[in-house]
């Protein structure tokens, strides 16, 4: 069993500091005990995380640590100066897993031993003064901090810090936290504003250390880390990296009007802005977070919650530039969007942030991992055309066991391993349920603890029962998020004094143990269309049911590809439970046809003609987007031309 002495087990990736000014606080010791996300986490625990060390070994990441620790000889392996982050993200995932296993009473021996072994390796690789980056230490590049644009040294530090915090919170042990603090302290002696006496006034072009330093402040109480985070956030946008949007340097965040540049970089930076707004009451950073989140949600997010419209530079595009087959939607960007959104949800108390988290989790994020946990997608397109020639490599639309740039798989592992921490919060006057999953969630009312159990088959079924397990004698408010997609619901059980406000269904009363509230969200399938400015999908509709976006796959439509498929938008949509398919899904049937496409000529354009050629009737079968690319290789599409 694990050694849990003096751990803060039950605390997740975000813990607010004592001075925090946030509407909501994460709850401690949430537990997901069954259902959809539980099943995904079992795969994560039994397949993904245990395979991590072997994959990190074969990709050379562990070799690189041994190399600079003087435990082996040879050359640096891999192509990037951020190879170490794959190790750190795995350590973070494994740490959250250890916390879960300990709470559930499972044996943690084997995983603990792997974490200990790799932690010792990380510690051995660290230099005397705290610096740690195997790329530069093994002689690649032009030396420490010579290349803040591509060097990723502080980005590496950020992931090390987050792993160390997870390890400390999960186990109470400090080996990794000591390593992370030494690196953070070293960074604090090197970086600072002009006139501070520190040699470098600059920032890493890949944000990540900022949000990590804010969390390190929360973990240690040392305010220097928070000050350093704020310095880095504000150092962006002043031209150190040529005012390039890619490097988050075009304008200061406080002046920015929209999200831009490299999507993951933008969103990690915004997560830090939200952290700083929470911890310091910085209103201009809070306003930037609200403003940029809205610009992203309203104009730069795909239906799946995925972000990043450009393969080139992994960037956000222009407003409404949301291509389907070239959607980038990096899996890491989905993770980053969820991390940013959760901090904004805590800061503001607004349900809409968790609306987008839900959409991203169930679609753009989850599609990144195969159903069996064995393979991954880096980019998550919304269409694969007939005749698509796949170039292979990291950006393939076919699942891959591991990537040359393996940022995404361990990012999925760490989010899944700590996922329960994004599901509920407390405002000190009750409990807010942000995401529906079976489990136990704790809140607080006037300093007294309370908890509820949740029972649901969401997202396959709309019914969620919440039972009060423990309650103080004074009244408190149970808040249930009514998702933005939901137009009808019924409420049963204890329903007096319920009202809906800004996406929250709030029930305030004096509760008794055993009181039950039953929320039933209508999951009738629906067709959605896009804002007319999204040129890429004009004239198309997509199928959704509850929080799930659906797609057509060629595997369900024999006799051709999908380029010629048209959906009858006025036709019925039928729901079918298919326990035999894709690990058990609900499919949606529709009617449509294959239109007669002209023989390919020398030129694919002709005088405009509004008449539609007749087609052959076709039964459409839509499957959840997150489950695509788990069968034979073939076409896929989310957006369907509509008749
Ligand atoms: Zn990635």
């Amino acid at each position: 069993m694990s050694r849990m002495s003096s751990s803060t087990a039950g605390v997740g990736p975000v813990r607010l500091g004592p001075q925090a000014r946030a509407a909501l606080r994460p709850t401690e010791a949430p537990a997901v005990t069954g259902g959809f996300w539980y099943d995904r986490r079992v795969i994560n625990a039994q397949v993904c995380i245990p395979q991590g060390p072997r994959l990190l070994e074969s990709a050379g990441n562990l070799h690189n640590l041994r190399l600079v620790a003087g435990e082996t000889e040879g050359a640096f392996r891999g192509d990037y100066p951020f190879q170490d982050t794959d190790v750190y993200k795995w350590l973070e995932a494994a740490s959250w897993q250890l916390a879960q296993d300990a709470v559930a009473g499972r044996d943690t021996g084997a995983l603990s031993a792997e974490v200990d072994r790799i932690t010792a390796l990380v510690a051995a690789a660290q230099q005397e003064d705290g610096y740690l980056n195997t790329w530069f230490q093994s002689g690649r590049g032009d030396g420490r901090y010579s290349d803040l644009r591509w060097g990723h040294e502080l980005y590496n530090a950020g992931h090390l810090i987050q792993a160390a915090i997870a390890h400390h919170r999960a186990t109470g042990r400090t080996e990794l936290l000591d390593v992370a603090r030494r690196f953070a302290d070293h960074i604090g002696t090197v970086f600072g504003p002009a006139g501070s006496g520190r040699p470098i006034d600059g920032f890493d072009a890949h944000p990540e250390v900022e949000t990590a330093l804010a969390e390190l402040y929360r973990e240690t109480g040392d305010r220097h880390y928070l000050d350093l985070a704020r310095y880095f956030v504000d150092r962006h946008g002043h031209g150190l990296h040529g005012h390039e949007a890619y490097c988050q340097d075009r304008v200061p965040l406080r002046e920015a009007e929209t999200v831009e540049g490299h999507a993951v970089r933008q969103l990690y930076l915004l997560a830090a802005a939200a952290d700083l707004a929470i911890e310091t009451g910085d209103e201009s950073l809070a306003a930037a977070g609200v403003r940029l989140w809205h610009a992203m949600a309203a104009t730069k997010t795909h239906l799946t919650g995925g972000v990043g419209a450009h393969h080139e530079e992994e960037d956000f595009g222009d407003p409404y530039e949301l291509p389907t087959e070239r959607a980038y939607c990096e899996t890491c960007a989905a993770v980053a969007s969820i991390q940013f959104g959760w901090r904004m949800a805590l800061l503001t108390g607004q349900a809409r942030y968790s609306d987008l988290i839900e959409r991203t989790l169930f679609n753009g994020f989850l599609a990144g991992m195969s159903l069996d946990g064995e393979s991954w997608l880096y980019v998550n397109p919304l269409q694969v055309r007939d005749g698509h020639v796949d170039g292979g490599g990291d950006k393939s639309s076919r699942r891959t066991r591991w990537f040359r740039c393996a940022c995404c798989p361990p990012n999925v592992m760490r989010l899944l391993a700590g996922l329960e921490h994004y599901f509920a919060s407390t405002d000190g006057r009750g409990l807010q349920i942000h995401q529906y999953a079976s489990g136990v969630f704790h809140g607080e009312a006037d300093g007294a603890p309370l908890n509820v159990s949740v029972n649901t088959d969401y997202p396959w079924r709309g019914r969620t029962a919440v039972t009060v397990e423990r309650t103080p004698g004074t009244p408190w408010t149970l808040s249930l998020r009514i998702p933005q997609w939901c137009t009808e619901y019924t409420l049963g059980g204890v329903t007096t004094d319920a009202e809906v406000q800004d996406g929250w269904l709030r029930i305030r009363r004096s509760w008794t143990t055993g009181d039950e509230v039953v929320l039933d969200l209508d999951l009738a399938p629906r067709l959605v269309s896009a804002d007319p400015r999204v040129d890429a999908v004009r004239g198309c509709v997509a199928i959704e049911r509850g929080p799930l976006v659906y797609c057509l796959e060629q595997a369900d439509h024999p006799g051709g590809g999908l380029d010629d498929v048209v959906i009858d938008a006025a036709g019925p949509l039928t729901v079918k439970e298919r326990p035999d398919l894709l690990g058990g899904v609900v499919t949606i049937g529709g009617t449509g046809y294959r239109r007669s496409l002209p023989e390919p000529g020398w030129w694919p354009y002709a005088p405009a003609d509004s008449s539609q050629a007749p087609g052959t009737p076709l039964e459409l079968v839509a499957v959840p987007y997150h489950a695509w690319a788990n069968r034979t290789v073939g076409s896929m599409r989310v957006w369907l031309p509509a008749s």
Side-chain angles (χ1 to χ4, degrees):
M1 296 295 292
S2 67
R3 286 155 281 180
M4 296 287 294
S5 61
S6 73
S7 84
T8 40
V11 176
V14 180
R15 177 175 68 178
L16 306 192
Q19 313 293 325
R21 276 166 273 186
L24 310 176
R25 288 201 317 273
T27 59
E28 293 196 8
V32 172
T33 54
F36 184 92
W37 288 114
Y38 180 84
D39 293 345
R40 265 66 190 173
R41 284 147 56 87
V42 167
I43 299 282
N44 197 38
Q46 295 184 354
V47 179
C48 307
I49 293 173
Q51 287 185 358
R54 186 169 52 73
L55 292 161
L56 294 168
E57 194 62 76
S58 62
N61 308 65
L62 299 180
H63 159 84
N64 293 337
L65 288 163
R66 279 196 295 273
L67 183 66
V68 304
E71 297 176 14
T72 191
E73 293 187 345
F76 181 92
R77 285 181 56 199
D79 299 312
Y80 302 105
F82 49 84
Q83 302 275 139
D84 301 346
T85 57
D86 302 338
V87 178
Y88 302 148
K89 281 187 259 187
W90 180 84
L91 279 170
E92 183 182 342
S95 296
W96 296 131
Q97 189 61 46
L98 285 177
Q100 264 188 60
D101 289 347
V103 168
R106 290 186 288 263
D107 179 26
T108 59
L111 185 57
S112 257
E114 284 295 72
V115 168
D116 288 355
R117 178 176 73 88
I118 294 173
T119 295
L121 197 50
V122 170
Q126 185 169 40
Q127 295 199 316
E128 205 51 37
D129 65 356
Y131 182 86
L132 177 49
N133 179 295
T134 60
W135 170 274
F136 288 98
Q137 283 171 255
S138 62
R140 303 288 288 263
D142 292 328
R144 285 181 184 194
Y145 308 123
S146 59
D147 185 3
L148 293 178
R149 182 186 166 89
W150 293 113
H152 287 81
E153 287 145 297
L154 305 189
Y155 170 76
N156 273 263
H159 279 298
L160 170 61
I161 291 166
Q162 289 179 335
I165 291 168
H167 186 245
H168 187 235
R169 288 179 183 170
T171 66
R173 289 168 47 184
T174 60
E175 296 97 317
L176 198 56
L177 189 63
D178 292 342
V179 174
R181 288 195 73 166
R182 276 199 295 275
F183 198 177
D185 292 342
H186 158 78
I187 290 166
T189 65
V190 173
F191 289 86
S196 66
R198 283 162 272 167
I200 303 178
D201 177 20
F203 66 95
D204 192 314
H206 199 316
E208 164 65 15
V209 76
E210 298 84 355
T211 185
L213 284 167
E215 204 63 39
L216 189 58
Y217 153 73
R218 291 166 173 158
E219 190 63 5
T220 63
D222 187 338
R223 181 113 196 152
H224 288 108
Y225 300 132
L226 193 64
D227 294 340
L228 194 54
R230 184 169 45 200
Y231 158 72
F232 283 132
V233 166
D234 279 330
R235 190 65 185 80
H236 285 259
H238 299 282
L240 179 74
H241 297 296
H243 287 290
E244 283 182 43
Y246 177 80
C247 302
Q248 300 301 317
D249 192 36
R250 194 180 66 79
V251 290
L253 204 52
R254 296 170 192 276
E255 297 165 23
E257 291 299 330
T258 187
V259 289
E260 61 182 23
H262 189 277
V264 178
R265 295 172 188 231
Q266 173 74 88
L267 293 169
Y268 284 165
L269 184 62
L270 280 165
D275 287 325
L276 286 163
I278 288 170
E279 294 304 333
T280 68
D282 188 319
E283 288 181 11
S284 113
L285 281 180
V290 170
R291 191 169 65 243
L292 270 60
W293 184 91
H294 277 273
M296 175 177 79
T299 70
K300 298 193 179 185
T301 303
H302 285 84
L303 188 66
T304 55
V307 290
H310 293 168
H311 277 238
E312 177 76 22
E313 302 209 317
E314 310 186 312
D315 274 8
F316 283 105
D318 288 334
Y320 305 105
E321 183 194 356
L322 296 163
T324 57
E325 68 274 61
R326 292 291 286 172
Y328 196 64
C329 297
E330 182 182 345
T331 304
C332 282
V335 172
S337 172
I338 291 162
Q339 292 178 338
F340 169 43
W342 179 238
R343 286 159 174 80
M344 292 305 296
L346 297 175
L347 175 66
T348 65
Q350 300 278 323
R352 64 184 61 134
Y353 297 102
S354 292
D355 281 333
L356 183 57
I357 288 173
E358 172 177 71
R359 179 169 288 272
T360 309
L361 272 175
F362 276 113
N363 302 290
F365 162 74
L366 191 55
M369 179 176 124
S370 68
L371 292 174
D372 62 8
E374 300 273 4
S375 58
W376 309 89
L377 289 173
Y378 189 122
V379 300
N380 295 279
L382 278 73
Q383 178 177 14
V384 177
R385 289 180 178 276
D386 300 345
H388 170 71
V389 175
D390 201 281
D394 288 3
K395 312 302 162 63
S396 173
S397 56
R398 295 177 190 168
R399 296 187 181 277
T400 305
R401 289 299 300 268
W402 202 245
F403 302 116
R404 202 165 64 92
C405 172
C407 50
C408 299
N411 225 349
V412 172
M413 293 179 207
R414 70 179 181 135
L415 187 72
L416 270 181
L419 189 63
E420 69 274 27
H421 294 284
Y422 295 83
F423 285 5
S425 66
T426 182
D427 58 0
R429 299 183 300 279
L431 173 67
Q432 301 81 42
I433 307 276
H434 295 249
Q435 308 297 340
Y436 296 111
S438 292
V440 179
F441 301 94
H442 302 258
E444 192 186 301
D446 304 318
L450 60 93
N451 69 49
V452 303
S453 66
V454 175
N455 225 303
T456 185
D457 283 325
Y458 197 76
W460 307 122
R461 298 196 175 126
R463 184 181 190 279
T464 295
V466 181
T467 307
V468 174
E469 303 277 358
R470 179 182 187 183
T471 179
T474 50
W476 54 273
T477 305
L478 174 67
S479 301
L480 305 174
R481 186 176 58 87
I482 303 298
Q484 154 274 335
W485 52 261
C486 177
T487 50
E488 274 186 59
Y489 63 88
T490 58
L491 196 58
V494 174
T495 61
T496 45
D497 305 319
E499 58 168 6
V500 176
Q501 245 180 1
D502 288 339
W504 289 113
L505 172 78
R506 299 188 194 278
I507 307 173
R508 180 167 181 81
R509 55 178 278 120
S510 287
W511 299 88
T512 308
T513 301
D515 279 352
E516 187 182 65
V517 173
V518 179
L519 176 66
D520 206 338
L521 304 172
D522 181 8
L523 295 187
R526 58 192 185 271
L527 296 180
V528 296
S529 59
D531 183 291
R533 284 165 286 205
V534 185
D535 297 79
V537 298
R538 189 172 298 124
C540 292
V541 296
I543 301 169
E544 294 185 341
R545 178 173 182 263
L548 301 181
V549 174
Y550 276 71
C551 67
L552 302 191
E553 279 199 291
Q554 195 170 348
D556 301 302
H557 302 87
L562 296 176
D563 283 4
D564 60 349
V565 168
V566 176
I567 186 170
D568 173 8
L573 296 173
T574 54
V575 172
K576 196 168 180 180
E577 294 200 8
R578 289 286 305 274
D580 56 312
L581 185 69
L582 295 167
V585 295
V586 170
T587 61
I588 298 174
T591 58
Y593 57 89
R594 290 190 184 280
R595 63 181 151 193
S596 312
L597 297 177
E599 282 300 309
W602 74 273
W603 184 239
Y605 308 99
D609 176 6
S610 62
S611 68
Q612 285 200 343
T616 324
L618 180 67
E619 294 281 315
L620 307 183
V621 178
V623 298
Y625 173 76
H626 69 244
W628 87 280
N630 280 284
R631 294 177 287 177
T632 51
V633 170
S635 314
M636 178 277 289
R637 63 189 308 160
V638 169
W639 291 101
L640 311 169
S643 69

